[in-house]
């Protein structure tokens, strides 16, 4: 049932263009520059009444939440807080009936996320969920759901569920922006058009597989990795580091590239590979100069850049060239792929149990 792939994880990585198409399917209203979310259960009036959004999740789903903050604040101008469920539920969070709480959970059974939802409802918030498992506990108890249609995810390390969470957040952003009339038809149409191109760009990006495998061979003996990104790609750096930790057991940290100079730059030496997410777009110059700082201190950079970026290529040890969009907003989806492939190949070469990493369970139903 692995469909010819060596592991479920690799199969699921390659399934992502299909998973994204399924998550989009039937939801676009291209003419109106809007989307239809069949189980969201909130009308325009309710969406207009929202004063603040809290997105709550754990692990990989929390990384998706961080991308969601960027999308929603940029396009809808609603303040968004992002919380780790196990932190949120033991605080005294400021939540009221004008707060929209969004829970993100692949399994829909994560105990901390479920508890955070129950606490939020007790305080009067409306709760919506982004879930992959239909009729899971979180999906059932929420006021509304945006389902991801990734299909069953078997590999413990989340891949296709994550990218479809990003797609669900993107769709939700369009709906919210259009409902609140802060996003005009033109902008809605442009966002939809960019999203529609994503599966093909993902297919293109999956062709990096063989190159990434070769890269992995040169770095698998490193004890630590650093992942750097800025803006919406900062959560993707966190996700890249988490994937590597989970399945290869190599220590890795994700950092906002601009924070390097406030401490972590002291770690840089020739033994620590630094993965830098440096696609063309809003933060390009800034990340580029952060990358130069790393190189100047002897760091070995694996850059993930836009296809044909000669400036980056002549500076770094390895460049993974990715087919990015002009539109920054969809790039986190595409850049996730080289992150997943790098972790996967390092783990395979190290001989770890990729689909069932030690100490981890697919759904964490205990606190
Ligand atoms: C990482 C991973 C975990 C989950 C986390 C939340 O690859 O799978 O970090 O993301 O346990 O799980 P869900 O999304 O099911 O609530």
């Amino acid at each position: 049932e692995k469909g010819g792939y060596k592991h479920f994880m690799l199969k699921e990585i390659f399934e992502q263009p299909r998973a994204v198409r399924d998550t989009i399917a039937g939801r676009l209203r291209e003419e109106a520059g809007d989307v239809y979310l069949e189980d969201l259960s909130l009308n325009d009036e309710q969406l207009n009444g929202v004063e603040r959004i809290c997105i709550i999740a754990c692990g990989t789903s929390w990384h998706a939440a961080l991308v969601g903050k960027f999308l929603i604040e940029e396009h809808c101008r609603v303040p968004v807080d992002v919380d780790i469920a196990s932190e949120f539920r033991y605080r005294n969070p400021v939540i009221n009936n004008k707060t929209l709480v969004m829970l993100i959970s692949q399994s829909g059974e994560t105990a901390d996320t479920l508890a955070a939802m129950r606490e939020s409802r007790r305080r009067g918030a409306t709760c919506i969920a982004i879930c992959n498992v239909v009729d899971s506990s979180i999906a059932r108890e929420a006021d509304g759901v945006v389902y991801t249609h990734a299909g069953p995810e078997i590999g413990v390390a989340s891949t296709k569920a994550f990218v479809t969470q990003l797609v669900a957040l993107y769709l939700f952003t369009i709906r919210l922006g259009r409902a609140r009339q802060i996003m005009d038809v033109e902008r809605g149409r442009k966002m939809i058009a960019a999203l529609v191109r994503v599966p093909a760009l993902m297919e293109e990006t999956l062709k990096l597989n063989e190159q990434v495998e070769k890269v992995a061979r040169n770095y698998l003996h490193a004890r630590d990795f650093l992942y750097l990104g800025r803006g919406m790609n900062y959560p993707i750096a966190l996700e890249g580091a988490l994937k590597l930790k989970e399945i290869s057991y190599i220590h890795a940290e994700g950092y906002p590239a601009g924070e390097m100079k406030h401490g972590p730059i002291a770690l840089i030496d020739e033994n620590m590979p630094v993965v830098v997410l440096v696609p063309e777009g809003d933060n390009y110059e800034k990340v580029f100069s952060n990358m130069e700082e790393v190189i100047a201190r002897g760091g070995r950079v694996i850059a993930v850049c836009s296809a044909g970026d000669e400036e980056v290529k002549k500076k770094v040890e390895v460049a993974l060239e990715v087919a990015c969009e002009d539109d920054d907003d969809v790039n986190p989806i595409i850049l996730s792929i080289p992150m997943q492939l790098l972790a996967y190949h390092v783990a395979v070469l190290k001989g770890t149990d990729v689909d069932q990493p030690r100490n981890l369970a697919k759904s964490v139903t205990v606190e």
Side-chain angles (χ1 to χ4, degrees), residues 116-190:
M117 175 167 71
R118 289 178 178 159
E119 180 58 23
S120 303
R121 296 195 85 182
R122 208 178 58 76
R123 293 172 189 240
T126 301
C127 295
I128 59 170
I130 292 182
C131 278
N132 193 45
V133 178
V134 175
D135 273 340
S136 53
S137 304
I138 293 172
R140 265 187 284 118
E141 285 189 31
D143 298 297
V145 194
V146 181
Y147 281 113
T148 49
H149 295 292
E153 191 177 62
I154 311 289
V156 165
S158 183
T159 53
K160 62 177 183 170
F162 176 68
V163 303
T164 55
Q165 285 167 351
L166 299 180
V167 171
L169 285 159
Y170 191 94
L171 292 170
F172 175 78
T173 299
I174 299 174
R175 184 72 277 277
L176 183 68
R178 296 292 290 121
R180 293 171 75 96
Q181 294 179 353
I182 188 152
M183 186 185 294
D184 60 18
V185 185
E186 256 337 286
R187 184 71 214 155
R189 284 183 185 153
K190 265 189 86 175

Side-chain angles (χ1 to χ4, degrees), residues 27-30 32-36 174-175 178-179 188 192:
R27 288 172 162 173
L28 304 182
R29 293 170 54 205
E30 272 134 323
D34 203 340
V35 300
Y36 173 68
I174 299 174
R175 184 72 277 277
R178 296 292 290 121
I192 289 173

Side-chain angles (χ1 to χ4, degrees), residues 57-62 104-110 113 138 153 156-159 165 239 242-243 246 361-364:
C58 304
T60 287
S61 299
W62 176 69
I104 307 183
S105 176
Q106 185 285 129
S107 63
E109 302 296 345
T110 300
T113 311
I138 293 172
E153 191 177 62
V156 165
S158 183
T159 53
Q165 285 167 351
E239 175 62 4
L242 179 63
K243 289 287 90 102
E246 282 183 297
K362 186 67 189 160
S363 93
V364 184

Side-chain angles (χ1 to χ4, degrees), residues 330-343:
V330 296
N331 286 340
I333 303 175
I334 296 159
L335 295 176
S336 296
I337 291 176
M339 302 292 99
Q340 298 162 347
L341 289 173
L342 183 61

